[in-house]
Amino acid sequence: MARLAQTAGLTDIQREILSTVRDFVDKEILPVATELEHRDEYPQHIVDGLKELGLFGLMIPEEYGGLGESLLTYALCVEEIARGWMSVSGIINTHFIVAYMLKQHGTQEQKDHFLPRMAAGDIRGAFSMSEPALGSDVSAISSKAVKDGDDYVLNGQKMWLTNGGTSSLVAVLVRSDEGHPEGTAPHKSMTTFLVEKEPGFGEVRPGLTIPGKIDKMGYKGVDTTELIMDGLRIPADRVLGGVTGRGFYQMMDGVEVGRVNVAARGCGVAQRAFELGVSYAQQRHTFGKPIAQHQAIQFKLAEMATKVEAAHAMMVNAARKKDSGERNDLEAGMAKYLASEYCKEVVEDAFRIHGGYGFSKSTRSNASTARRRCC
């Protein structure tokens, strides 16, 4: 991997941050990831370590106690973390989407109130667009906010909140027709509310319920939940940016950051799969030599390496475009698609290189044990 997935033009600070994160992944995540994944256990020890490293404030400006780093630095850190265990990258992704939305669109009071505690990791963020009847069709949102005196009353059901239970701040997108004439385009009558809550499940504040974790086939460890609002009262000063009707634009801006994150996750998982494939191919012997010397395996490894490199390059390009202040929705979407597809393909090929041991859940069936048993 010495020449693969390298990023030109990094500063000394960026290289130092990435080296620190990689060491943390090697020492604190890789040894326990499989066990925690199988138990579907929230990685509190790992999260505490990320907090100690200051990663929850990585992109938050220095004036609010963060490190003030770029989206590129963040994406490269996510790539390293996903190389250890993808679920951990999900814990910080939604946090940073909310922090980014606050930084870009929040009022000064909102920034002063939330960002220092988010940088310290004392407040963890989550964001919510999806509903049970819709996913990417954001304009079809039915959850609604109605003005009532100095407050808004929110009602509706949300779905697929990453960090829904462990978070203490949720950016929630709902419909708010107040001040918008009939016939206004749906995306112009949406508002983002900053909803503070207690971590946990059940009724986490009056009118707001987090029923519990959704049992998923994969993506374990990180909690994914519903969110139910029934007469939830939110003060008007918790409208993101202080003005209604801007929620769709704010969320789409945040999602561009999230898409780069998803691309980085795919890159990290693919890198780890490639590393394991190479390592096993060098140890496993058939017909008197390592399988890495068989041309069929060499072809497969070459294709895997090409996909790792291509996905990384597209992810870096999307991040740098956003950092330059340009719109990057096209590049971020392309990077997310390609990295996800290539990740799947590289992992599948790593399974094939491992043969039967790639399909075994036994911790004893590692590469060295396999070599002793089969050679």
Side-chain angles (χ1 to χ4, degrees), residues 225-303:
T225 73
E226 299 175 69
L227 179 148
I228 300 172
M229 301 172 289
D230 184 11
L232 173 63
R233 301 190 73 89
I234 302 294
D237 63 3
R238 288 299 171 256
V239 171
L240 180 61
V243 179
T244 61
R246 298 292 301 169
F248 179 84
Y249 304 100
Q250 295 162 348
M251 281 282 180
M252 291 304 103
D253 191 22
V255 164
E256 288 181 7
V257 172
R259 285 175 178 153
V260 173
N261 171 284
V262 173
R265 292 191 219 184
C267 291
V269 174
Q271 285 183 32
R272 182 60 179 162
F274 179 70
E275 289 173 1
L276 293 173
V278 170
S279 176
Y280 185 77
Q282 292 171 337
Q283 296 180 57
R284 174 76 164 99
H285 284 66
T286 63
F287 305 103
K289 60 183 178 181
I291 63 172
Q293 294 181 18
H294 293 299
Q295 193 173 56
I297 300 299
Q298 292 175 349
F299 283 159
K300 196 175 293 294
L301 288 172
E303 291 174 359

Side-chain angles (χ1 to χ4, degrees), residues 24 26 35 89 110 157 208 269 289 340:
F24 179 82
D26 289 341
E35 181 182 357
S89 64
Q110 290 168 352
Q157 183 178 2
L208 179 63
V269 174
K289 60 183 178 181
S340 299

Side-chain angles (χ1 to χ4, degrees), residues 42 44 47 56 90-96 98 114 118 121-128 160-172 194-202 204-205 208-210 213 222-227:
Y42 186 77
Q44 188 61 57
V47 172
F56 283 102
I91 292 170
I92 61 175
N93 180 38
T94 54
H95 175 83
F96 270 110
V98 177
F114 290 112
M118 294 186 79
D122 297 330
I123 288 181
R124 307 278 171 76
F127 82 110
S128 176
W160 308 120
L161 274 79
T162 302
N163 294 332
T166 49
S167 62
S168 46
L169 174 65
V170 186
V172 181
L194 301 171
V195 178
E196 298 173 83
K197 71 177 187 65
E198 290 296 319
F201 302 100
V204 292
R205 67 175 284 176
L208 179 63
T209 300
I210 307 292
K213 290 174 61 174
V222 60
D223 56 290
T224 306
T225 73
E226 299 175 69
L227 179 148

Side-chain angles (χ1 to χ4, degrees), residues 60-375:
I60 294 174
E62 293 180 7
E63 63 195 276
Y64 299 107
L67 298 179
E69 274 296 329
S70 63
L71 176 59
L72 175 62
T73 307
Y74 168 59
L76 294 175
C77 287
V78 167
E79 186 177 42
E80 293 291 349
I81 292 169
R83 173 181 155 269
W85 186 20
M86 192 185 74
S87 291
V88 178
S89 64
I91 292 170
I92 61 175
N93 180 38
T94 54
H95 175 83
F96 270 110
I97 290 176
V98 177
Y100 173 82
M101 290 168 62
L102 273 164
K103 181 186 74 171
Q104 294 296 107
H105 307 287
T107 65
Q108 192 59 52
E109 184 275 332
Q110 290 168 352
K111 295 176 186 179
D112 292 340
H113 181 76
F114 290 112
L115 287 180
R117 288 185 290 162
M118 294 186 79
D122 297 330
I123 288 181
R124 307 278 171 76
F127 82 110
S128 176
M129 292 191 300
S130 298
E131 296 183 359
L134 64 96
S136 58
D137 183 12
V138 180
S139 64
I141 280 176
S142 60
S143 297
K144 194 167 184 179
V146 176
K147 189 76 183 290
D148 183 22
D150 294 331
D151 297 338
Y152 286 87
V153 178
L154 278 60
N155 289 281
Q157 183 178 2
K158 292 292 189 177
M159 196 70 176
W160 308 120
L161 274 79
T162 302
N163 294 332
T166 49
S167 62
S168 46
L169 174 65
V170 186
V172 181
L173 184 65
V174 300
R175 189 171 303 285
S176 59
D177 295 328
E178 174 238 356
H180 304 288
E182 189 175 346
T184 299
H187 68 279
K188 292 183 178 180
S189 60
M190 293 186 182
T191 299
T192 303
F193 286 87
L194 301 171
V195 178
E196 298 173 83
K197 71 177 187 65
E198 290 296 319
F201 302 100
E203 189 173 29
V204 292
R205 67 175 284 176
L208 179 63
T209 300
I210 307 292
K213 290 174 61 174
I214 297 172
D215 190 17
K216 309 183 296 287
M217 294 177 66
Y219 197 33
K220 303 287 189 174
V222 60
D223 56 290
T224 306
T225 73
E226 299 175 69
L227 179 148
I228 300 172
M229 301 172 289
D230 184 11
L232 173 63
R233 301 190 73 89
I234 302 294
D237 63 3
R238 288 299 171 256
V239 171
L240 180 61
V243 179
T244 61
R246 298 292 301 169
F248 179 84
Y249 304 100
Q250 295 162 348
M251 281 282 180
M252 291 304 103
D253 191 22
V255 164
E256 288 181 7
V257 172
R259 285 175 178 153
V260 173
N261 171 284
V262 173
R265 292 191 219 184
C267 291
V269 174
Q271 285 183 32
R272 182 60 179 162
F274 179 70
E275 289 173 1
L276 293 173
V278 170
S279 176
Y280 185 77
Q282 292 171 337
Q283 296 180 57
R284 174 76 164 99
H285 284 66
T286 63
F287 305 103
K289 60 183 178 181
I291 63 172
Q293 294 181 18
H294 293 299
Q295 193 173 56
I297 300 299
Q298 292 175 349
F299 283 159
K300 196 175 293 294
L301 288 172
E303 291 174 359
M304 293 163 69
T306 302
K307 291 171 181 176
V308 167
E309 182 73 8
H312 177 85
M314 289 198 72
M315 179 270 291
V316 168
N317 177 60
R320 280 185 161 146
K321 191 126 185 173
K322 187 77 170 177
D323 284 333
S324 71
E326 297 181 70
R327 179 176 170 178
N328 82 331
D329 52 342
L330 176 65
E331 292 78 8
M334 286 181 170
K336 174 184 174 182
Y337 165 74
L338 190 79
S340 299
E341 290 296 303
Y342 279 178
C343 174
K344 175 186 75 72
E345 294 170 12
V346 170
V347 169
E348 286 175 347
D349 282 339
F351 270 113
R352 294 185 180 109
I353 289 172
H354 279 77
Y357 290 99
F359 199 66
S360 172
K361 293 173 69 173
S362 171
T363 56
R364 294 178 299 167
S365 300
N366 55 35
S368 59
T369 304
R371 182 170 182 266
R372 289 198 301 270
R373 288 178 178 176
C374 298
C375 302

